[in-house]
Every structure is written in C-alpha cells, then in structure tokens.
C-alpha cells in the first residue's frame, strides 16, 4: 500500500487548485489603469489615486479564459493518473509472490508431500525459495516515479523473511 496513496495526492492537488480558484474569484483584476487605491498608496503615496473603469472582472475570469493555465491543470491531473499507473505497474513485481503471505505453509507442505516428492524435488523447492530471497534482496529499496519516491525496503525485507520462513518450514519437514 502506498502512503500517502495516489488518490490522497490527487485529492490534495485538487484541493489546492480549488482553493486557488476560490481565492481568485474574490480578487478584482487590475492592471496599470485599475490599480486598487490601497496598492497605489503603497506604490507611490504622493500621486493621486487613479480610478479605473472597474470592468476588469476578477482574476478567476482571466484564469478561466487562459488556455495555458487550463493546459497545465489538465497536464497535472494527467500526470497524477500516469504516476498511479506506473506505481501499480512497479508494484506488480511484488504481487507474483503474493502466495508467500496468502497461502498456508502447512497446507502447502501437505499438498507437496502428498505428491511423494523425490529428494531432488525437495532440493529444487528449497532452491526456489532461496531464489526468491536472492531476487528480492537485489531489488532497490526505493524507486522514483515522477515526483513520487516509493520506499520499498520494508516490503522487500518482509518478502525475504516470508520466503525464508517457507524455506525453513519445508527444510524442517524434510529432516523429520
């Protein structure tokens, strides 16, 4: 599970965009002709205030009409969805071993033993578990996707420990 989830990141970005847009609805648009009086006083208190026509609207009106801003908002939303897809694709490599935490070791051993395996088959099974441990050990502890840094060290460690547990359980049964 990603912390924070991609949905939470998307919600935060959407919330930020909504907050900016709400603020922009309350700000009257101004340029050199329609500068608010309090700003004019700050800029140059010696000049008399300039009265504009007041027909500039709000910054929201300008933002809503600006194609470049709309493109950036769409790209941002799209990039989050793309990052989500890349995260899911990256995490797929761990799901191939989900049987390690989903299956019951005792039942799996009984099923394996019921097939009356040879010593070579036992050795092959143990090597399979060692192979999982080695494969997971060589995975990087972090992986960057866009602006996200996935920290997979604890996931890799847990998967290695589970593979070791399966190996030890099968080996212990072999020595009985």
């Amino acid at each position: 599970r990603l912390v924070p989830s991609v949905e939470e990141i998307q919600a935060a970005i959407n919330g930020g965009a909504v907050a900016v847009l709400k603020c922009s609805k309350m700000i009257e648009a101004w340029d050199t002709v329609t500068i608010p009086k309090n700003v004019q006083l700050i800029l140059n208190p010696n000049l008399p205030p300039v009265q504009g026509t007041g027909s500039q609207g709000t910054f929201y009106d300008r933002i809503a009409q600006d194609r470049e801003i709309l493109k950036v908002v769409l790209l941002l939303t799209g990039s989050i969805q793309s990052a989500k897809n890349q995260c899911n694709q990256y995490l797929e490599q761990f799901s191939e071993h989900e049987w390690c935490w989903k299956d019951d070791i005792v039942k799996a051993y009984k099923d394996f033993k019921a097939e009356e395996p040879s010593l070579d088959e036992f050795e092959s099974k143990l090597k399979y578990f060692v192979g999982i441990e080695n494969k997971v050990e060589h995975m990087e502890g972090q992986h960057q996707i866009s602006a996200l840094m996935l920290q997979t060290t604890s996931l890799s460690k847990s998967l290695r420990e589970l593979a070791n547990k399966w190996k030890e359980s099968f080996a212990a049964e072999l020595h009985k």
Side-chain angles (χ1 to χ4, degrees), residues 88-97 135 139 159:
N88 289 338
Q89 183 180 359
Y90 177 75
L91 293 174
E92 275 295 312
Q93 68 180 321
F94 294 99
S95 67
E96 73 180 84
H97 303 296
K135 179 181 175 184
M139 290 180 177
L159 189 52

Side-chain angles (χ1 to χ4, degrees), residues 30-171:
W30 47 275
D31 53 28
T32 55
V33 178
T34 58
I35 299 173
K37 290 180 187 178
N38 56 347
V39 175
Q40 289 179 35
L41 291 172
I42 293 170
L43 293 175
N44 192 342
N46 299 326
L47 292 175
V50 176
Q51 291 290 357
T53 61
S55 62
Q56 297 293 320
T58 64
F59 274 110
Y60 176 80
D61 300 328
R62 289 186 183 179
I63 290 170
Q65 293 174 4
D66 191 322
R67 289 181 187 262
E68 290 302 313
I69 292 175
L70 295 176
K71 281 184 202 175
V72 169
V73 170
L74 291 174
L75 286 172
L76 186 58
T77 304
S79 69
I80 296 299
Q81 184 60 43
S82 174
K84 177 181 180 180
N85 294 343
Q86 289 176 14
C87 287
N88 289 338
Q89 183 180 359
Y90 177 75
L91 293 174
E92 275 295 312
Q93 68 180 321
F94 294 99
S95 67
E96 73 180 84
H97 303 296
E98 68 185 356
W99 57 267
C100 284
W101 62 86
K102 286 187 171 181
D103 293 353
D104 179 37
I105 296 175
V106 175
K107 183 181 180 321
Y109 179 77
K110 284 181 183 177
D111 293 346
F112 179 71
K113 187 73 173 167
E115 296 173 8
E116 298 179 9
S118 67
L119 194 55
D120 287 339
E121 290 171 320
F122 252 108
E123 182 182 12
S124 176
K125 193 69 162 177
L126 295 175
K127 284 183 178 181
Y128 174 70
F129 296 135
V130 170
I132 293 171
E133 286 181 89
N134 291 336
K135 179 181 175 184
V136 173
E137 188 172 337
H138 289 92
M139 290 180 177
E140 292 185 23
Q142 58 186 19
H143 182 77
Q144 185 166 358
I145 295 176
S146 189
L148 304 174
M149 181 64 76
L150 304 180
Q151 301 291 337
T152 57
T153 306
S154 61
L155 178 61
S156 297
K157 181 181 175 195
S158 295
L159 189 52
R160 270 194 325 271
E161 290 171 355
L162 283 169
N164 186 49
K165 184 177 177 182
W166 278 80
K167 177 186 72 178
E168 288 176 354
S169 295
F170 273 62

